[in-house]
Amino acid sequence: MASLKNRAPTATWKLLVLICEGEGKFDWKDIAPSRETTRKHVSNLRKALQGLFGNADDPFVEHEGDYRPRFRARVGMPGEGGKG
């Protein structure tokens, strides 16, 4: 999830980091200035996760106009910070 030109993190990577930092919660406005652009970034992340984990299930669910991951997302390793 890095730019082929300069290896800078892509918006897709930044979205994954935001999801992890928010423990699964994020506001579409933190991703892009429009819902449509955010939808595109979520779609790109969806495809990347499905390819990486070899799972056809959708890793996101739309909830009240926002997206929520169907996976557990957080910064750190399991068991760190008292969360398992």
Side-chain angles (χ1 to χ4, degrees):
M1 293 184 209
S3 167
L4 296 176
K5 287 184 179 180
N6 60 11
R7 305 291 301 153
T10 62
T12 304
W13 175 257
K14 291 175 184 177
L15 171 58
L16 181 58
V17 169
L18 186 66
I19 291 169
C20 291
E21 288 175 345
E23 296 185 353
K25 299 174 187 160
F26 68 96
D27 188 329
W28 69 267
K29 295 174 202 148
D30 294 333
I31 310 301
S34 74
R35 280 190 182 270
E36 190 57 40
T37 303
T38 298
R39 182 175 287 125
K40 176 75 171 161
H41 294 313
V42 170
S43 177
N44 290 341
L45 181 56
R46 175 183 289 122
K47 290 174 189 172
L49 292 173
Q50 287 172 322
L52 182 65
F53 294 106
N55 191 341
D57 292 341
D58 191 343
F60 294 96
V61 63
E62 284 196 53
H63 177 72
E64 297 178 8
D66 286 325
Y67 296 96
R68 296 288 177 242
R70 292 183 182 196
F71 55 92
R72 209 167 202 187
R74 65 179 174 270
V75 175
M77 298 298 292
E80 288 183 353
K83 297 180 181 177

